[in-house]
Every structure is written in C-alpha cells, then in structure tokens.
C-alpha cells in the first residue's frame, strides 16, 4: 500500500518512510519541534491564531470549517479551563489517513496539539482515538512519554511557563462519536449522543468549558504553518482551501494508499488513472466517492474529461465534496444499488438513536433495500426512498442524518439504471 | 424572565412577547398549535422528536421551536406546506416500527401518539416492512412495558432522573435497537409510576390496572391525595362504584404537582373498594363478646346513651375525643365542636405523631407553596426525609437545585438520599437537631451546638453564610425531630435573617394529608397527646370517642390501655387493634366517598371530591359526628351538606375566612389559608438552650443511607390492603420471568438483523 | 464547603444483583488508578475502565458492572446504558477471539463477502455466533480504517490485512 505525496513536496508525509519514524530522535532530526520552539520564542497566542487564519486551513475531519476562525471563537477572558481535543475517531468509510499519520509520525500530532494548546491557553488536551485503533493509542502513549522526558510535554515546556498535558482516551466502537459534540459526550463518560449547538464547544464544550475539537490531520498541519508562515502554507493550495490534503484511496484501484496532494490539484482524472495506477485489472471506472461515504457519489462521466479540481469549491462545483478525503473508486462490476445498500446499513448501525428521522429513517431504508434485493421491488420504491431521505435531510438532530440521506439521493439520481432494473411490477401472472 | 417586550412575527402577524421566552410556548400561547413529544415543562431539553419544527427566516434549516429563544424581529412560520410535510414525515417515522395494537393497548383513547397522528399525521402509512420486535414484559410490580411502542421521547428517563433523583430507568442500546429498560431488566426504585404517567404512548403502563377498563368508561374526578401532607391533586377514575385508577395526567388534572404522584398516591387506591372494609355499624354488647352488626339508629342511640351516662357519672373530662390527621377539615371541625361545645372536655387531640402547635403559635413568616420551593434560592431542611415522606416536596427540592441553581443546606442525623443535591450537609448525631436550631438563631451558640451535634463549628457557619448570601427566596423546612421549643425558634428565624430583597418562607413537614388541617381546626389545641390519653385511660378518661385509630407505635407498651376504658367507640375504614378493643365500631367513608377539604403543608386548602357512593353502609366522619351530636340534643344545622360545614369553618377559623367551595373550585389556582404571623415573645432562646445543654456530649452517628422505599413501602393500615405493596415491602424480589401474561401475542420470527448482543436487550 | 462524610455507603441503585463486585490484582488497580487520574471528572474514565474489566473478566459481567459502579460512584444502570451504546463493549459472554470482519464498502468491493464465507465455513459457525468451545466468535463490523489493504479483519485488537484464504488459515491456525 502506497504512502506518498503527489504534485507537491510531502509536508505531512515527510517522514513516513524514514526508519524509526516514530521516535523523537528521528522527528527532531527531520525538522521536528522547531515550530513549538518558534512559538514559545516570542509569538503570542493571538499571533499563532493569526497565522492559522492566514493559512486558510480548513477542518480536515469532513466539515471543512476554517480552523483559525474556530480557534478565535474561544473566549480568552473565560475563567474556566480550556481544552484541546484531537478527534482521532476516524470512522468515515473509506478514510484511513489519520491512522497512518499517527502510526508513522506521532510526534507531529503532539507538536500540533502543543501549538494549539498554546494558542488557546489550554493546559490539558485529550486525543480521543477510536477503540479499534488500540495499537495507535499505545504508539501515542510511548511518544508522549518520550516527549515528556525531553521537556516537551507536561510542566514548563522547554523551560518556559507554558504547561500542557496530553492524554490519550479510547473510544469503543461508535461512528457517531466522530461528531464533535457526541465526542465530547463520550469523553465525559456519557452515551455518545450529540448535543445542541448553540452553545458551541468553543464556548461550552468539555465539562462545559471552552473546547476546540480538531481532526488529527488539521492539527498535524499546524507545525508546518508556523514554520513556513500562514501565507506560504495557503499558497500551496488555493485561496479558500490552503495547504495540502491527505487523501485515502481505496477500492478498485491499482495503487490504493495514502496520498498527499496540494489543495486544488486540478485533475482528478489524472489522479485516478495515473497517480494511483488506474482501475484494477484494466476495467472501466464506473463511480467514485471522493470524500468518504457521506458525500455524493460521482459518475465516471462527471470526472473523465472534466478537469475536476480537488479542493472544497472545485469538488462542490463538480457535484460532490472533499469531506474527509476518503476516496473510493468503483469499477463497472459494482452494482450501485448494492453499494448504496451497504452504506445505508452502515448508517443504520451507527445511528445513535437520539432523533426520530435518523433512527427510524435509516432502519426503514435498510428494510426497503433488503426487500428490493430479495426481489420485492416496486416502481414507487425509488420515489419512496427519495421521499424518506427528504424527510431525514435537514430535519435530524445532527449531520449523521444528512450523511445517511446523501448517498441514496445521489445514487438514485445518478445511477437510476441500477435501481430501475429491480423496481418492476410483479403482476399476478408472474409477468413484469 | 424579564418583562422587556420584543417583537416576533408568527405566520405574518406581529406579537409583543416577553424577552427570553421560548418560541414553542409563545406560539402555543398565541393560538398557533405546535405538536411535540419530547418537550416537557421543566425537564432537560432534548429536541429529539423533531415534531416541533418551524421555519425561521435567515436560518437555513427548519428549527425545533422548543430550543429557540425569541429574539427581537424574529420572523416565524409555523404553518406551511414544507412544515406540514415535515410533520407528516415525522409521524410516519414514529409509526414505522410502532405496532398497530391500539385494540389491546391500555393507552388507547388517551394516547398522545394517536392524537398527534390524527392532528398532524398523513393519511397513509407507507411502511410495509417487518417491524422490529421486542417482547412485552414487566419492569416492576407496578410497571408494565411494551418496548415496541416506544417513540424514545425519553420523558420517562428524565423524570426518573430529574424529579426522583433515582436514574433507575434508562435507554440502552443504540440506534433503532435502543430500548428503555434497566440492567437485568427489573426496576428497583421507588415505584412512583411517574414514568408511566408522562409516557405519551402505551410503552410504560400501570401493571396493576392492565387490561381492566377503557378510559372512556371511567368517570374521572379531581380530588386531593389522602396520604402525605403534600396534598397532590389527582384524578380518580371510577366505574360502577369502584375506583379503578388514580392518575395525574394533565388532560384530567393540573394541580400543584403537575403529573407527579408517588407510589402511594398512584397505586394504593385499591384500599378504597377492598373487601375488608367495615360494612355496618357493630356493637359489642358485653365486654369480651363479639361485635354484632346493628343499624345506624341503634348504634347512634347506644353510643349517645353510654357517653351521656359516663359524662354524668365521672364528669366531662372523662370523655376523650380523638380524631385522625387523615380526616377532612369538615370532619375535624365537627369533631372539635363536639368535643368543646357539646362535651366540654379538655381531653381531645388527634393521633398525629407530633404537634405543630408551637410552630404555628409563633409563626413569623408565610408558608412556602410548592412553587415557592421550586423557585427558592436557598432551602434549609432540618431533619425529615421528604424524598420518602413528602415526595412532592422532595421533587421540588431536587428541581430547585438542578434547574433553579438553588443551594440546599441539609441538617440531618441520617445521610438521606437528598444529600446528593446538598451543598452543605450538617451530619449531626441523632437527637441533636435542636442544637443546630439554637446555633442558627444565635451564632454565640455555635460552639455548644457543634460539640453536641458532633460536627465542626465552621460547618454551622457555612450554613449560616449560605442563608445570609441568598438573593432570592429562602425556605426553611422542619420535621418531627425538633422539640416544641425549637419549633418556636424556627418559626421566628425569618426575623433573625431578615434583609432587603430576601423573602423568608417556612415549610413544615408533618406526616399526614391533613395534619395541618387538624391543627387549623383546633384539634391540636388541647394540652394533651395520644400517649397521655392512653395513659389516662381507666383513670381520668373513662370513654373515648375516636374518628380514626391509634398508631401501632402509640399502642406499643400500652396494649391494655384501651381495655381499661369503660366505653370505646371507633369510626374507621378497616378493623384493627383499636377496633378490636372497641365497644362500638362505626363504618366511615373514605376520602373517595365524600366531599370535603384537606389542608396541605403549604397551607393550601384543597378540595376532596366524592367519586363513588359510600361503600356499604359507611358515612362520612363528619356526618356521623353530627348525627351523634343531634342524638345528644345539639343540632349543628348542617343538614347533609359538606359545604355548609365548610361555610361554618370559614366563619369560625380566622385563617379560612372568606373561603367557600366555589372559591376552591379550580385546582390550578389553589387558595392558601392566611395564617397570622409576626414577631412573638418566644424569640427568647433560653428554654431551648437548657434543652440543648442537657443533651449528651457523645454519641454514634448513623452512617448508612436507608434504601429507597424504607418509608414509602411501609405497610400501614391502608397500603397493606394492596398486594403489590407486600411485594415491595419484602424487598421487591425479582421474579423468575418478567414475561407478561395473559395476552398471547402473535410473534413474527425475529429479525435476522439482530446481533446476539441486541437480542439480549429484549 | 461541607462536612466530609467518611465511609457512608455509596448511593448506587439498590439493584440486588446477587453477586459481589469483581476483585482485581494490585497491578490492575494501579492501572485503573492511572486512567482515573487523567480526568477531572471521575465518570470520564468509564470507557478505559470498561476495556480493562472486559480484558480481565472476558466480558462485562455482573460482578464487573458492580465493580465499575462502585469505583466510578455511578449507578449500575448508568454503567449499563453506556456499555450497551458501544459496539466494542460486551455485556454478554464472547469468544476468546472475536473475529471482526469489515463489511463496509471498500472491503466489500474487494471481496469481504468471500472472506466472511470462508471464515464461516472454516469455523463452522454463522456470523454472530460463537464456536461451541468458546474460542471464536465471528462478527461483521463497520469500516475499520484499513480500506487501502482490503479485505481485512480484526481479531480482538489486532489487524490482519490484505487477506486471502491461505492467509486466514495461517492466522487462525497459529493462534494460541
């Protein structure tokens, strides 16, 4: 499985192939912990936030919210303790980039957290890691202890009066806990149900204190932003989507893996057919889900010859979204009905059950899929499914409802043949 | 909430509303109905049912109106095609897995889901798939559960957590397989049944009432509970002269308690129609003989003759008159007239466990109402255990702390469950509560009090600070542990802590539904007590006329006292130790069989209304007393009218002046008795100080929190007629199987979709 | 500021489980203490502690639940409601090796179905079942973040990627 940068110098993937890439020594010898030194050496928390704002870094977990703006929402004069929480609950189908970032370069995440904690005057940070990634928690624990021994984590970091504790915390198998407020509920020891916004976590989050929740890849981008400056980082990408993005490529592709691309890499077709080796076994491409299962599925003819630009605005214009960057390629052997059923079952298993439309809606949709699959499809089913999706989308308590509806809506609209062929009338004489 | 007004436009019309008002409340108030399930007043907001969606201009998605606070210039649409589609969509989702078993569901006819579907749902249900299956089961002796009907509004889990502080019932599982239940599936809780009451569907049902009637067969009648002194308003449902259920659902009654009731208020009603009710008057013609049924005329005449004879032979004080703190004000008033005007005895009282005379004689502030307690900023509880003995007060205290940010100061010898909400807990040695009262009245006594109570003097200072720093209402509650000297001091504490912007209210916690009324009707005025009366039996007291009976603890060690009497006449519902010694037993009517009033521990005078005709030949207590008086040539002139008695009360009891039944008609606006209050001479603490000095200097503390139900499940004369209470009193043992019978359910094969783990949740 | 009460029984719900709480070795207790020390609020340690109890007891059994309730000063029902929310916490017995096969899209289109069938046949059990000797449980789980090396499975906490039937034989036969 490949891990490499395409179309730019590797930033986040700079050290992944080095021997002992996890060790503090290797990290330091390859540009590590320079950024935190620079920060502690004369930048104020506001300076740090401004650099991140200039960088046009957007949340890499899937929502794409401008990171600098999120950080600036934390009320500086609040007497409550502030928390930085790293969202390592990577569970979006098709996404596995955080796994390798943590596995190969844990210190990069630690440095990113330290800088964020400094910027937000936070003294405690938690890395909420999905329970299945237990081996990564062990890796992070070792790295944190290494850093502590070198005076980089804990009290008086690098001899200054900046102190920051970093703890790992385990999830236990719930995709919903990747949603930031559900993550906070889970971290507080409750059931992982999302919470009402407002109040936003930046004002009232973990233990009702100001909290910033950021994805792993967002935090690992921070050291480079400090080192090269926000503007330089932004210039690597596009005006509204600065820097580089790490994509996770899988499916019917010859070279699946983790790829770092500059934001705005302007040829998705080239990316698939050349950079990632093209379709497995020389088959034809049929569909691509570029940003994790929750984004609209794309037809091949929406990509081929279309110069799709791979950044937030470009993908939206092309009819999908960057999302988490979980890039799933499907060839002509895939029945989109089945692939959509597979994803709907995912959302039904993972629905937290809090709100009516998502809980009942995903359950109903799975049952409709099952009925159609076993031969009981009716012509009105396509409209029924679209209508149910319409009743879920925008009406659920959190975005998981929307995420469950979008794959189905886009699949039915863009691959109607795969659905229509199953939705025939069963006359009483057995005729179609 | 502020009194500033802002402009909100709803469906094109402009309205001026209070700043900070909740949008759903505002819309409903202005006549725009909005459906909702999970939104429930004074419970944590959920926004999970998604029924209350509205369109607010400038907000991209439909918003739940229950979470929106109105802002100036907000433009709201509650009626449009988009919203109607959403409402139809949500009801359709709720009905997807919901079984179509209205014909066998007890909630049919009172079901919020039925009503919501009729009002807001579509005509068609497109779900033709297999519904998720869950077996019906019992969760406790009182709670039946059909998880399939659940729409996960979580009202039940919230009331269990927020009202009761018990957190016994919770949601387990995830997604469409979420089920309301508890670990190992058996509820060990106070069995209040509030989860049943607030459930909008037939998921949680009254197991004691299951499959007995339909709501439209019942006559629902609003009355006041006859158990503790909180005076919850309830609606008794009766059919054919039998009380079938007791509910507080807001479609039937809206009193000080909302939909809250405790296990006794909700489930102890079977005593009313129990077969052991005394049926006819009975006379024991000779000592040691049997009680023989007699007619009312014979019995009344017999009693009158004997009382007359004894009074003539031994004097007026030889007749004792003892009432029960469970009787109505009317009964106690007539009893008092009988005792003082007719007999002229000094030996009258009630069988209450303690007297509040000293408290009321020295009352220095108004009594707090339940709403005052909820809105108080500091609550001081001295002794008692409202969680077990006055559950509504306990609930208001918990919500005051949780939702109102109140500070609770607890002074108790037992670490009662309310200590979970207490900010300051003075854990004192048993019997030393007086010392704390002394210290609160005068800080100079802190050291003495701390030493006697076995706590630090700083702790008492902390309590005093908490009271002194309050900006808002302070409520001081007392129970039975403190002496009458201390009662007088507590009643005057408001004067000690008086300050601007701070209201001081008092809240006594007597045991019974009409303890306060007994006091108001002057039945506690005489300087005697049940113990003294029993001790005088056979010597100064030769005869007793009782409306009620002695408590087992009062008869303990005095078992032969009653047999020393020349004559004992008892009006009661059931035969017991007291009637076993009686010469005449008269059948009394229960609170469900008569009109009257009870006065609760807020001083609220609330109606008791007749739901069923008196059982067998029983009569209301006051009528029996009036009839007896007439036989003894004093006609009180009430004819058969309870309201005439009440008019008499209003004329003779200053605190009740101006009241009448029509004024007490509306249970949502209860009327408080106007007690005289002001400074009194008994502000002097010398007598109390002497008592405290005499307390021992050492002692063991109680370290164990009593189990839930230690008082609620205690079997008394009334609750021991209910079989479920026997189960609860013996520790609520978990049965072999919780499967529900007898209705056979047609069970489809289990969804193959279930993992083993999920199947276990069934 | 309140007077401190020493040794008053905790307010956990008096559910009579009929068992005593689980007892762990000093090393395990120390491990638990270290986790509790990470958080300002005791309840936050519930998930790390559940994994420890599960590891020691095989699954979250009644003594384990009671231990957690006492340690975290929660009610037994609070433990239950959290435990049943998460896929990786088991309140029913589970095999020594929980073979969790990823069934989500990327693995599915790279042959997860065949892997599942192969495991099912090899172990002689259906998905969701446990072998009679309690050694293997076969489950299907959602995306494990290993899409680039699909198809794959996880045995307890260990990933096994780029699977073929031969590889599966090697892996399963080598388990102690």
């Amino acid at each position: 499985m490949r891990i490499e940068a395409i179309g730019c110098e590797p930033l986040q993937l700079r050290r992944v192939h080095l021997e002992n890439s996890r060790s503090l020594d290797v990290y330091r010898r390859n540009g590590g912990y320079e950024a935190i030194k620079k920060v502690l050496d004369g930048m104020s928390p506001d300076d740090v936030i401004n650099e991140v704002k200039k960088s046009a870094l957007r949340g890499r977990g899937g929502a794409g919210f401008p990171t600098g703006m999120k950080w600036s929402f934390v009320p500086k004069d609040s007497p409550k303790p502030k928390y930085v929480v790293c969202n390592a609950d990577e569970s979006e189908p098709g996404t596995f980039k955080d796994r390798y970032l943590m596995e190969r370069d844990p210190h990069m995440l630690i440095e990113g957290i330290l800088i964020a904690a400094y910027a937000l005057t936070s003294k405690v940070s938690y890395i909420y890691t999905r329970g299945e990634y237990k081996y990564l928690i062990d890796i992070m624990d070792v790295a944190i202890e290494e850093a502590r021994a070198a005076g980089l984590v804990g009290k008086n970091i690098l001899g200054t009066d900046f102190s920051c504790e970093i703890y790992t915390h385990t999830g236990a198998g719930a995709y919903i806990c990747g949603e930031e407020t559900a993550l906070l509920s889970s971290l507080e020891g409750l059931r992982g149900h999302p919470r009402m916004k407002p109040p936003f976590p930046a004002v009232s989050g973990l233990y009702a204190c100001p909290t910033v929740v950021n994805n792993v890849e967002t935090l690992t981008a921070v050291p480079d932003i400090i080192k090269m400056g926000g503007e330089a980082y932004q210039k690597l990408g596009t005006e509204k989507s600065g820097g580089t993005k790490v994509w996770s490529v899988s499916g019917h592709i010859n070279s699946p893996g983790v790829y770092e691309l500059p934001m705005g890499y302007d040829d998705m077709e080239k990316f698939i057919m050349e950079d990632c080796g093209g379709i497995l076994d020389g088959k034809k491409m049929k569909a691509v889900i570029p940003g994790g299962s929750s984004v609209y599925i794309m037809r091949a003819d929406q990509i081929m010859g279309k110069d799709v630009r791979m950044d937030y605005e470009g993908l939206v214009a092309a009819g999908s979204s960057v999302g988490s960057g979980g890039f799933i390629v499907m060839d002509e052997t895939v029945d989109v009905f089945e692939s959509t059923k597979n994803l709907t079952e995912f959302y039904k298993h993972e629905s937290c059950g809090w709100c009516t439309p998502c809980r009942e809606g995903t359950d109903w949709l799975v049952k409709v899929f099952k009925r159609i699959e076993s031969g009981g499809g009716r012509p009105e089913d396509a409209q029924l499914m679209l209508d149910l999706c319409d009743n879920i989308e925008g009406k659920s308590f959190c975005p998981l409802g929307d995420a469950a509806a979008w794959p189905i809506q886009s699949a039915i609209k863009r691959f109607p043949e795969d659905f229509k062929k199953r939705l025939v009338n069963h006359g009483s004489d057995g005729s179609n | 909430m502020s009194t500033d007004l802002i402009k909100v436009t709803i469906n094109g019309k402009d309205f001026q509303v209070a700043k900070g008002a909740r949008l759903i409340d505002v819309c409903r108030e202005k006549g725009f109905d909005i459906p909702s399930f999970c939104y429930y007043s004074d419970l944590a907001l959920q926004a999970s049912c998604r029924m209350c969606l509205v369109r607010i201009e400038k907000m991209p998605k439909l918003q739940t109106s229950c979470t929106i606070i109105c802002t100036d210039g907000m433009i709201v649409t509650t009626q449009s095609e988009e919203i109607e589609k959403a409402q139809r969509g949500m009801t359709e989702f709720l009905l997807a897995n919901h079984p179509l078993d209205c014909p066998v569901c007890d909630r049919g006819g009172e079901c919020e889901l039925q009503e919501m579907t009729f009002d807001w749902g579509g005509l068609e249900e497109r779900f033709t798939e297999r519904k998720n299956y869950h077996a019906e089961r019992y969760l406790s002796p009182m709670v039946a559960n059909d998880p399939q009907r659940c729409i996960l509004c979580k009202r039940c889990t919230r009331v269990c957590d927020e009202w009761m502080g018990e957190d016994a019932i919770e949601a387990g599982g995830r997604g469409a397989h979420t089920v309301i239940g508890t670990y190992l599936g058996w509820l060990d809780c106070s069995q209040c049944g509030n989860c049943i009451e607030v459930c909008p569907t037939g998921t949680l049902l009254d197991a004691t009432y299951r499959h007995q009637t339909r709501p439209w067969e019942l006559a629902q009648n609003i009355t006041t509970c006859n158990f503790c002194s909180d005076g919850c308003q309830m609606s008794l449902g009766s059919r054919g002269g039998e009380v079938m259920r007791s509910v507080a659902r807001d479609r039937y009654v809206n009193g000080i308690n909302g939909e809250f009731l405790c296990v006794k208020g909700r489930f102890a009603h079977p005593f009313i129609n129990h077969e052991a009710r005394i049926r006819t008057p009975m006379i024991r013609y000779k000592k040691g003989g049997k009680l023989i049924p007699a007619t009312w005329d014979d019995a009344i005449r017999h009693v009158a003759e004997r009382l007359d004879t004894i009074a003539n032979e031994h004097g007026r004080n030889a007749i004792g008159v003892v009432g029960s703190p469970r009787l109505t004000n009317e009964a106690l008033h007539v009893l008092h007239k009988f005792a003082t005007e007719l007999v002229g005895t000094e030996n009258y009282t009630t069988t209450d466990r303690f007297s509040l005379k000293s408290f009321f004689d020295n009352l220095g502030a108004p009594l707090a109402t339940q709403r005052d307690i909820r809105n108080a900023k500091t609550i001081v509880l001295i002794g008692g255990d409202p969680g077990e003995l006055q559950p509504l007060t306990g609930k208001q205290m918990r919500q005051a702390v949780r939702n109102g940010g109140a500070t609770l100061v607890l002074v108790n010898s037992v670490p009662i469950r309310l200590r979970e909400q207490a900010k300051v807990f003075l854990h004192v040695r048993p019997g030393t509560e007086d010392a704390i009262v002394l210290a609160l009245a005068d800080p100079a006594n802190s050291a003495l009090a701390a030493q006697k109570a076995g706590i630090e003097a700083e702790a008492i200072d902390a309590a005093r600070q908490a009271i002194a720093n309050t900006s808002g209402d302070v409520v001081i509650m007392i129970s039975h542990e403190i002496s009458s000297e201390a009662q007088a001091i507590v009643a005057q504490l408001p004067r000690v802590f008086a300050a601007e912007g701070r209201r001081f209210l008092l809240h006594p916690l007597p045991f019974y539904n009409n303890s306060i009324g007994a006091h108001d009707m002057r039945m506690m005025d005489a300087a005697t007590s049940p113990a003294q009366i029993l001790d005088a039996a056979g010597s100064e007291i030769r005869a007793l006329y009782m409306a009620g009976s002695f408590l087992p603890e009062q008869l303990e060690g005095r078992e032969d006292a009653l047999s020393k009497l020349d004559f004992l006449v008892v009006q009661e519902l059931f035969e017991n130790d007291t009637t076993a010694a009686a010469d005449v037993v008269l059948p009394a009517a229960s609170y469900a069989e008569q009109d009257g009033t009870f006065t609760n521990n807020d001083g609220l005078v609330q109606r008791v209304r007749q739901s069923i005709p008196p059982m067998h030949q029983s009569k209301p207590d006051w009528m029996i007393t009036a009839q007896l008086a007439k036989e003894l040539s004093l006609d009180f002139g009430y004819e058969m009218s309870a309201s005439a008695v009440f008019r008499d009360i209003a004329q003779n009891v200053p605190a009740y002046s101006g009241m009448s039944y029509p004024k007490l008609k509306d249970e949502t606006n209860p009327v408080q008795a106007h007690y005289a209050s002001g400074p009194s001479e008994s502000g002097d603490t010398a007598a109390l100080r002497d008592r405290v000095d005499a307390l021992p200097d050492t002692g063991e503390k109680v370290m164990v929190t009593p189990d839930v139900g230690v008082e609620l499940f205690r079997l008394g004369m009334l609750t021991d007629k209910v079989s479920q209470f026997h189960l609860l009193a013996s520790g609520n043992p978990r049965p072999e199987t919780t499967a529900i019978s007898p209705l056979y359910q047609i069970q489809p094969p289990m969804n193959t979709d279930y993992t083993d783990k999920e199947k276990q949740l069934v | 500021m309140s007077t401190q009460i020493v040794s008053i029984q905790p307010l956990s719900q008096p559910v009579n489980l009929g068992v005593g709480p689980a007892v762990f070795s000093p090393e395990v207790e120390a491990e638990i203490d270290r986790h509790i020390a990470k958080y300002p609020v005791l309840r936050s340690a519930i998930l790390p502690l559940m994994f420890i109890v599960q590891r020691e007891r095989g699954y979250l059994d009644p003594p384990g639940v009671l231990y957690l309730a006492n340690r975290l000063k929660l009610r037994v029902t609070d433990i239950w409601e959290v435990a049943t929310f998460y896929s990786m916490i088991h309140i029913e017995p589970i095999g020594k090796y929980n073979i969790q096969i990823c069934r989500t899209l990327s693995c599915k289109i790279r042959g997860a179905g065949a892997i599942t069938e192969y495991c099912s046949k090899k172990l002689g059990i259906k998905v969701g079942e446990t072998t009679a000797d309690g050694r293997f449980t076969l489950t299907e789980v959602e995306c494990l973040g290993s899409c680039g090396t699909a198809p794959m499975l996880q045995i307890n906490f260990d990933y096994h990627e780029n699977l073929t039937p031969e590889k599966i034989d090697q892996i399963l036969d080598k388990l102690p």
Side-chain angles (χ1 to χ4, degrees), chain A residues 88-281:
Chain A
D89 190 68
E90 179 173 66
S91 308
E92 180 82 17
T95 318
F96 46 97
K97 56 172 173 82
D98 294 337
R99 175 178 166 201
Y100 291 99
L101 290 174
M102 289 169 80
E103 186 193 281
R104 304 293 175 96
D105 208 346
H107 283 284
M108 187 169 58
L109 177 58
I110 293 174
E111 190 174 9
I113 292 175
L114 288 173
I115 298 170
Y118 179 83
L120 301 169
T121 63
S122 155
K123 292 196 172 53
V124 177
S125 169
Y126 294 98
I127 305 176
Y128 184 105
T129 313
R130 65 178 294 186
E132 296 88 338
Y133 280 178
K134 179 169 184 295
Y135 81 102
L136 291 178
I137 297 180
D138 296 337
I139 290 175
M140 288 305 308
D141 282 338
V142 167
I144 292 172
E145 284 317 302
E146 272 194 308
R148 186 191 303 284
L152 287 157
V153 166
K155 288 201 161 21
N156 302 115
I157 293 173
L158 291 181
T160 68
D161 56 13
F162 168 58
S163 301
C164 179
E165 268 306 334
I166 302 180
Y167 300 114
T168 53
H169 176 93
T170 179
Y175 164 72
I176 182 65
C177 290
E179 199 277 332
E180 68 173 355
T181 58
L183 189 156
L184 295 175
S185 293
S186 181
L187 189 45
E188 291 187 14
L190 306 166
R191 285 162 66 86
H193 289 301
R195 297 173 172 176
M196 274 185 269
K197 293 196 276 204
F200 290 86
V203 170
S204 175
L206 187 61
Y207 313 126
C209 298
T211 309
V212 159
V213 182
N214 276 140
N215 179 254
V216 169
E217 195 194 339
T218 313
L219 288 166
T220 51
V222 171
D224 282 312
I225 290 176
I226 297 298
K227 283 203 297 201
M228 64 171 66
E231 243 179 81
Y233 182 86
Q234 181 266 311
K235 287 208 165 62
L236 293 174
T238 60
E239 188 199 330
K240 291 223 187 89
S241 317
T244 62
K245 166 101 190 82
V246 181
W247 299 78
S248 326
V249 180
S250 65
H252 290 139
I253 196 84
N254 273 316
S255 303
V258 176
Y259 293 95
E260 185 172 13
L261 270 60
M263 268 298 198
Y265 185 85
D266 61 4
D267 197 338
M268 191 194 273
E269 182 181 350
K270 173 166 180 289
F271 178 62
I272 300 170
M273 301 310 287
E274 290 180 27
D275 303 320
C276 296
I279 309 298
L280 199 59
D281 296 337

Side-chain angles (χ1 to χ4, degrees), chain B residues 421-729:
Chain B
Q421 279 81 27
K423 182 140 170 242
V424 179
F425 177 24
L426 303 184
H427 186 208
V428 302
R429 296 197 187 108
T432 62
E433 291 84 357
D434 273 3
I436 306 299
V437 172
L438 185 68
L440 285 175
D442 187 352
N445 293 309
S446 286
L448 170 67
Q451 189 245 320
K452 295 286 183 183
I455 59 175
E456 302 293 318
E458 287 80 45
I460 304 184
D461 291 336
R464 184 177 292 105
Q465 277 302 323
I467 301 172
N469 288 343
T470 311
S471 53
D473 290 351
V474 178
V475 177
I476 306 183
M477 302 184 179
I478 56 160
S479 188
H480 56 283
E481 294 90 341
I482 60 177
S483 61
S484 57
E485 287 88 342
Q487 275 188 14
I489 302 297
V490 169
Q492 287 290 306
L493 270 181
R495 214 169 34 120
V496 171
F497 287 100
E500 272 301 313
R502 192 185 305 152
R503 240 181 7 147
F504 271 86
L505 303 166
L506 296 165
H507 189 72
L509 293 172
F511 287 96
Y512 298 102
N513 52 310
N514 213 15
S515 293
I516 303 284
H519 173 272
D520 293 344
M521 298 300 116
R522 294 154 298 173
M523 278 300 288
M524 307 302 282
D525 277 5
T528 184
S529 70
Q532 286 170 275
I533 293 211
L534 282 169
D535 287 339
S539 50
E540 192 197 348
I541 296 180
R542 314 300 297 236
L544 273 186
Y545 170 44
M546 294 195 66
S549 6
F550 288 106
L551 296 169
E553 66 228 39
Q554 288 159 349
L555 290 176
E556 219 175 280
R558 301 187 178 90
E559 283 80 7
D560 56 350
L562 293 176
S563 57
K564 295 198 192 127
L565 292 167
D566 292 344
F567 186 70
L568 173 61
V569 50
V570 179
Q571 289 165 210
E572 251 300 358
L573 300 176
F574 295 101
E575 294 193 56
N576 55 25
D577 288 339
T578 308
T579 62
D583 298 291
V584 179
V585 173
L586 302 171
S590 76
Y591 80 114
E593 299 152 48
Q594 58 179 297
D595 281 320
T597 54
F598 291 146
T599 307
N600 75 349
N601 52 25
D602 300 344
L604 297 175
V605 183
Q606 301 185 111
R607 282 299 317 277
V608 173
R609 293 188 180 86
Q610 183 172 3
S611 297
I612 55 173
M615 287 279 287
H616 311 300
Q617 290 192 29
S618 64
K619 288 177 194 281
D621 288 274
W622 71 265
M623 271 193 215
I624 302 174
T625 312
Q627 216 177 326
L628 187 55
K630 197 163 170 194
E631 186 70 22
L632 289 165
S633 312
L634 182 54
D635 185 352
F636 293 141
Y638 301 131
E639 304 303 331
M640 300 299 269
S641 157
S643 67
V645 182
F646 193 75
R647 266 198 300 279
D648 198 28
I649 293 174
Q651 270 157 20
N652 286 294
V653 177
Y656 289 49
S657 70
M659 290 193 207
S660 64
Y661 275 11
K663 293 223 175 78
L664 304 180
K665 207 165 58 152
D666 184 5
E667 85 278 6
T668 64
N669 273 316
V671 177
Q672 195 179 33
H674 24 270
Y675 298 105
S677 75
S680 87
E681 300 85 49
S682 307
D684 136 58
T685 53
L688 182 59
R689 207 201 153 94
D690 289 338
R691 274 191 85 97
V692 174
D693 270 329
L695 288 171
D697 293 320
T698 53
E700 286 285 308
K701 287 194 185 176
V702 176
M703 299 304 272
V704 173
T705 301
D707 282 341
V708 168
V710 65
E711 292 292 340
L712 287 168
F713 303 157
R714 191 184 291 275
L715 292 175
M717 184 180 73
L718 303 179
T719 50
D720 99 332
K721 304 298 181 291
V722 185
S723 53
Q724 285 87 358
F725 274 82
H726 283 267
L727 276 177
L728 298 176

Side-chain angles (χ1 to χ4, degrees), chain C residues 124-139:
Chain C
I125 50 175
K126 295 208 286 268
V127 169
E129 292 179 351
T130 304
T131 52
D133 59 6
R135 202 164 144 76
F136 295 109
T137 298
L138 188 63
T139 49

